[in-house]
Amino acid sequence: MSDQPLIGQPISRLEGHLKVTGTAKYAGEYNVPGLLYGYVINSTITKGKISSINTKIAKALPGVIEVFTHENRPSLAWFDMQYSDMDAPPGSPFRPLHTADIKYNGQPIALVVAETFELARYAASCVEIKYTEEPFSTDLKENIDKARAPQPGLATFLKPLPPKPKGDFEKAYNDSFAKASGEFYHGTEHHNPLELFSTTTIYEGQGKLTIYDKTQGTINSQLYVGNIFGLHFKDVRVIAPYVGGGFGSGLRPQYQLFLSVMAALELKRPVRVTLERNQMYTFGHRPPTIQNTRFGADANGKITALNHSAIAETSQFEDYTEVVVNWSNMLYPAENTLMEYKLVPLDVYSPLDMRAPGGSTGSHAIESTMDELAYKLNIDPIELRLINYAETDTSVGRPYSSKELRQCFIQGAEKFGWSNRNPEPRSMRRGNKLVGYGMATGIWESMQLPARAEAILTKEGKLLVSSAVTDIGTGTLTVMTQIAADELGLPLADVTFSYGDSKMPFAPIQGGSFTVSTVGSAIKAAGKALRKKLFKKAKDIKNSPLKGTDLEDVVFKNGDIISKNNPALRVSFQDILALNKGAIKTTNTSLPKAFKLKKYSRAAHSAAFVEVEVDEQLGVVTVTRSLTAVAAGNIINPKTARSQILGGMVWGISKALREETITDYKLGKYMNQNLAEYHIPVHADLHDMDVIFVEEKDEIINELGSKGVGEIGIVGMPPAIANAIFHATGKRINQFPIHFDSLL
């Protein structure tokens, strides 16, 4: 083993070979004898009631076991699901098959269970359903007059409502030397992870269940199932070792989990329910949002007035909120501010967190308005941001635990070649292509939640570490193994990290870019406790060479505890284990240091730089070059972290230029529920992309000094693209995605 720590090394994913060879098993791939298949029937109307549902023909088909509807479903505990789900917003959560009421288009209204998937799907087409329809509203723009403040609830702890106004915004704005304003809109977006949502529930007898679920939180699914079905939590085991992408769609338990468990308990047989691609559009989305900004500055570029308002969609039964308007004053200090956020309840399913929820929405409006202000002032966009640079989060009056955004601007601009930009719009071209440069700032809050981890040193001297956390493709397995290995000074080959199982120590849902800081800190705490145990036992050995030595005076390396002052003085793990006559174990909890942390704002920052080419005749936009400079504390694994940023950048391109779910408001229905018509970038759309990690030390945020990178990669990209398009064409397009027809 090298003397160099494993933390900070670009180690390839430990499970990568299993995934690319198809060996890794996902939730819909666990086969057991007697497995039954469920197929979901979804509502074809948007609002009303089921007046009749005839299942006779379907149930008469050989091999069809049952058709579950609201009329024959088993009675349930129906514990308030808001408290059964770590990610539930305020309101009354949707209950599948609860009543005849239809709340949204695509609502699950029946489950056909059969011996094969194909038979279940065919039988579903034989179920006859009649409805009584009611008037509905699904158009945000047509219902602005219904906008209201969100209900307060537990969710506001993680998603704070806008800060109170400061100063006199209207006067300050009217008196400003330069003003920039805009109305911004983006429509509905859906997550579309590669792996379909699937649950395989195995009935073990006596009310015990083993569940293979596509989820971003095994314990969240366990709590949900236990509460809804009135089961003891210890009788419900949820396993999710591999998750084929989540992006937020698996934070809440989705309805296929409910239906699979319900059928398995009632039939006392294993049941798998897998949703088809079009059904992935029936349980959550990034909500369409209308934003308005007004920024004012003095002649030197100092911002004096900030107004940012947003109106977003929610369902009729829950108040889903996002942090959209809070970011501007976190980035840019102003003495006069007015931030507003409202919701419009519509006849849709509740929106759902989607990579950088609120942040990627708000940044479009904030950073495009800043770009507009830079042109009004004739100041370089980077210079304007530096003029308004803040070491303190003025929105709450707290310093940042660390902030190297200035270096993101400097290093990013240097590597990108920002100085080659002619600031005049439509001044740069290559042949018939207009060339534009754009940049934007990114910010994402860095959080830490409570978590537990277990560490065991086996009698063979191997380290086993475990946590219930999932790995949704972010490299969690690899990173946690690195952290654990460093704690005991062992090579990677001697460390096994087990995860994705609700029977393991507690971990919250994987999301919000807090997993490394949360679970990594728990592993570090468990490793620290195990080191203490081992050191104490080493000193207890008769004639121990480490007698009279303190823990701070030794290092753990390659299975030995070694004196720093005299490396000849050492005790091996094997000697300790022999004396102990077996494995040594510890389970520890990591809690955020709330009192210390509340004195600081904690965030990762980025600067995104983009070059676009716009075909002057056709209006087609190509992102030819992009670079993101990121300050995110201690980077545990630069290789997996870089992949996270690149993934966010790809999604930023998608958000700005491709991605939208089209609604027919007369039908109240999404019309492009497939990957053929829901446009996302393909390889041919992606060109030169680069990532810089700016050195940032943070001794406050957590013991690892780490900040998450899952979301910060997407936040700055969409506005940087919009700003580059303005520079190329002189057209300020404030609606995402930006279609070629608006540039013709």
Side-chain angles (χ1 to χ4, degrees):
M1 177 182 171
S2 164
D3 288 336
Q4 202 171 10
L6 288 164
I7 288 178
Q9 297 301 308
I11 293 166
S12 297
R13 292 168 187 253
L14 300 179
E15 85 288 12
H17 185 264
L18 295 175
K19 287 182 173 177
V20 299
T21 58
T23 310
K25 274 193 174 184
Y26 293 83
E29 297 180 319
Y30 289 88
N31 293 316
V32 292
L35 181 64
L36 299 175
Y37 297 82
Y39 187 85
V40 179
I41 300 176
N42 301 84
S43 165
T44 57
I45 69 163
T46 300
K47 190 175 182 180
K49 290 184 183 295
I50 300 170
S51 54
S52 70
I53 184 161
N54 186 343
T55 62
K56 287 181 182 176
I57 296 172
K59 288 174 78 169
L61 293 170
V64 172
I65 307 300
E66 184 57 277
V67 181
F68 292 99
T69 70
H70 68 281
E71 296 176 341
N72 70 337
R73 63 157 175 79
S75 60
L76 301 168
W78 287 121
F79 187 87
D80 189 341
M81 290 159 63
Q82 185 176 345
Y83 303 103
S84 308
D85 174 3
M86 296 178 193
D87 201 45
S92 179
F94 173 70
R95 293 161 167 79
L97 309 190
H98 191 212
T99 66
D101 294 337
I102 301 298
K103 298 177 183 290
Y104 70 96
N105 200 295
Q107 174 179 318
I109 55 175
L111 179 74
V112 180
V113 182
E115 298 286 356
T116 67
F117 174 79
E118 291 77 10
L119 177 58
R121 182 171 57 184
Y122 171 70
S125 69
C126 300
V127 176
E128 298 172 351
I129 304 163
K130 293 181 180 176
Y131 303 97
T132 303
E133 295 194 58
E134 297 174 12
F136 56 82
S137 298
T138 59
D139 189 342
L140 175 65
K141 291 181 178 178
E142 291 296 316
N143 289 275
I144 290 294
D145 58 325
K146 296 175 184 172
R148 56 163 175 78
Q151 309 173 54
L154 291 174
T156 55
F157 170 72
L158 293 176
K159 297 179 179 179
L161 295 175
K164 292 178 180 177
K166 288 190 302 184
D168 186 340
F169 167 77
E170 296 295 347
K171 183 178 186 306
Y173 182 71
N174 289 330
D175 293 346
S176 297
F177 174 82
K179 303 181 183 73
S181 62
E183 179 174 291
F184 300 82
Y185 178 77
H186 79 74
T188 305
E189 298 169 38
H190 278 86
H191 301 75
N192 273 307
L194 190 60
E195 181 197 7
L196 299 171
F197 269 84
S198 185
T199 302
T200 305
T201 302
I202 300 169
Y203 182 76
E204 308 281 11
Q206 298 179 323
K208 294 184 193 289
L209 301 173
T210 300
I211 303 168
Y212 297 94
D213 189 35
K214 184 195 170 108
T215 177
Q216 289 176 238
T218 57
I219 287 177
N220 197 27
S221 290
Q222 178 195 40
L223 292 173
Y224 172 89
V225 169
N227 284 329
I228 300 306
F229 294 94
L231 303 173
H232 194 289
F233 300 137
K234 288 183 179 177
D235 291 339
V236 180
R237 182 182 180 190
V238 179
I239 302 171
Y242 303 108
V243 180
F247 316 119
S249 62
L251 291 173
R252 302 189 70 177
Q254 302 301 359
Y255 63 75
Q256 93 289 334
L257 170 63
F258 171 90
L259 295 171
S260 173
V261 171
M262 177 197 70
L265 284 170
E266 186 71 4
L267 301 174
K268 296 182 169 43
R269 287 183 64 179
V271 177
R272 173 180 300 150
V273 178
T274 301
L275 302 183
E276 294 182 317
R277 178 59 61 183
N278 66 305
Q279 293 171 323
M280 301 278 278
Y281 291 75
T282 61
F283 55 78
H285 52 278
R286 196 192 297 278
T289 304
I290 300 167
Q291 302 177 74
N292 284 277
T293 57
R294 290 181 293 164
F295 291 7
D298 64 20
N300 297 318
K302 188 71 178 168
I303 293 174
T304 55
L306 280 176
N307 168 222
H308 188 181
S309 65
I311 298 175
E313 169 189 282
T314 191
S315 69
Q316 297 284 8
F317 46 90
E318 288 178 314
D319 269 16
Y320 171 81
T321 63
E322 294 182 329
V323 180
V324 177
V325 304
N326 304 27
W327 308 101
S328 55
N329 200 211
M330 288 179 72
L331 284 168
Y332 309 117
E335 293 182 2
N336 305 281
T337 63
L338 177 60
M339 309 297 168
E340 301 168 292
Y341 179 74
K342 292 182 178 179
L343 297 175
V344 175
L346 296 171
D347 297 307
V348 296
Y349 191 83
S350 298
L352 183 62
D353 288 349
M354 187 174 185
R355 199 171 193 170
S360 65
T361 300
S363 67
H364 175 209
I366 296 163
E367 293 302 302
S368 291
T369 307
M370 285 294 288
D371 196 64
E372 180 75 7
L373 196 59
Y375 280 97
K376 293 275 182 74
L377 288 159
N378 197 26
I379 296 175
D380 183 273
I382 296 177
E383 183 60 29
L384 179 64
R385 286 162 174 81
L386 290 172
I387 290 168
N388 291 281
Y389 195 84
E391 296 292 353
T392 298
D393 176 0
T394 56
S395 69
V396 289
R398 293 192 296 254
Y400 286 99
S401 60
S402 61
K403 183 180 178 182
E404 292 292 346
L405 175 58
R406 188 186 303 276
Q407 282 301 313
C408 291
F409 292 141
I410 293 168
Q411 294 179 33
E414 174 66 27
K415 187 161 189 187
F416 181 79
W418 183 258
S419 60
N420 298 326
R421 168 184 174 268
N422 182 332
E424 189 66 29
R426 293 185 80 92
S427 62
M428 298 169 64
R429 58 173 64 235
R430 292 188 192 109
N432 69 330
K433 307 282 179 67
L434 298 168
V435 176
Y437 283 12
M439 62 82 55
T441 306
I443 182 172
W444 186 257
E445 190 173 13
S446 299
M447 294 184 289
Q448 181 187 351
L449 301 180
R452 284 172 67 77
E454 181 181 77
I456 302 171
L457 189 67
T458 69
K459 60 183 180 180
E460 293 80 23
K462 308 290 186 185
L463 178 62
L464 306 180
V465 184
S466 62
S467 165
V469 68
T470 53
D471 183 344
I472 59 173
T474 54
T476 304
L477 164 63
T478 308
V479 169
M480 298 305 165
T481 307
Q482 287 174 256
I483 294 168
D486 271 0
E487 281 304 301
L488 270 291
L490 290 169
L492 274 183
D494 287 349
V495 180
T496 300
F497 177 60
S498 300
Y499 64 100
D501 189 331
S502 64
K503 76 172 185 178
M504 294 173 182
F506 172 83
I509 48 182
Q510 181 172 38
S513 296
F514 52 66
T515 296
V516 169
S517 300
T518 296
V519 180
S521 293
I523 288 171
K524 194 168 177 66
K528 202 173 185 178
L530 191 56
R531 281 208 320 270
K532 282 184 181 177
K533 273 191 175 183
L534 289 167
F535 182 64
K536 185 178 183 304
K537 289 177 184 294
K539 289 175 72 173
D540 288 343
I541 293 174
K542 191 175 181 181
N543 300 321
S544 171
L546 298 177
K547 264 197 172 31
T549 309
D550 293 326
L551 184 58
E552 294 74 28
D553 300 325
V554 299
V555 292
F556 287 68
K557 183 179 174 185
N558 283 342
D560 289 330
I561 306 175
I562 307 167
S563 168
K564 290 179 184 175
N565 299 323
N566 183 359
L569 301 178
R570 61 177 64 201
V571 174
S572 73
F573 289 0
Q574 289 298 344
D575 291 340
I576 300 167
L577 290 161
L579 185 71
N580 194 68
K581 296 180 181 174
I584 301 170
K585 178 173 91 168
T586 181
T587 304
N588 293 81
T589 301
S590 174
L591 296 169
K593 294 172 180 160
F595 182 73
K596 180 182 180 182
L597 291 176
K598 75 176 184 179
K599 298 177 183 177
Y600 298 90
S601 282
R602 294 102 61 200
H605 294 87
S606 69
F609 296 85
V610 165
E611 178 192 87
V612 300
E613 288 181 352
V614 183
D615 188 297
E616 195 168 16
Q617 281 78 44
L618 301 176
V620 175
V621 179
T622 303
V623 178
T624 47
R625 290 193 300 128
S626 56
L627 178 144
T628 301
V630 182
N634 186 20
I635 303 300
I636 308 297
N637 183 326
K639 189 172 188 177
T640 56
R642 184 175 189 274
S643 291
Q644 284 293 288
I645 301 298
L646 287 173
M649 291 169 69
V650 171
W651 203 331
I653 294 169
S654 188
K655 183 175 175 62
L657 301 176
R658 299 280 188 276
E659 195 163 339
E660 61 178 335
T661 315
I662 306 296
T663 303
D664 184 325
Y665 296 116
K666 291 180 180 178
L667 299 174
K669 178 182 178 181
Y670 300 128
M671 301 306 292
N672 55 329
Q673 300 179 51
N674 56 71
L675 289 180
E677 295 168 309
Y678 185 91
H679 295 160
I680 56 176
V682 296
H683 287 298
D685 297 313
L686 305 172
H687 300 279
D688 183 7
M689 302 172 72
D690 201 3
V691 179
I692 296 172
F693 287 112
V694 169
E695 187 175 344
E696 182 178 67
K697 294 197 182 306
D698 194 323
E699 296 178 354
I700 294 164
I701 197 156
N702 54 58
E703 282 198 76
L704 290 163
S706 64
K707 299 175 181 179
V709 295
E711 265 110 343
I712 191 64
I714 186 178
V715 176
M717 276 292 287
I721 293 168
N723 294 341
I725 289 171
F726 174 77
H727 180 233
T729 66
K731 288 190 175 185
R732 181 74 64 183
I733 312 295
N734 290 344
Q735 177 162 326
F736 278 167
I738 297 173
H739 292 303
F740 70 89
D741 56 335
S742 59
L743 295 169
L744 289 175

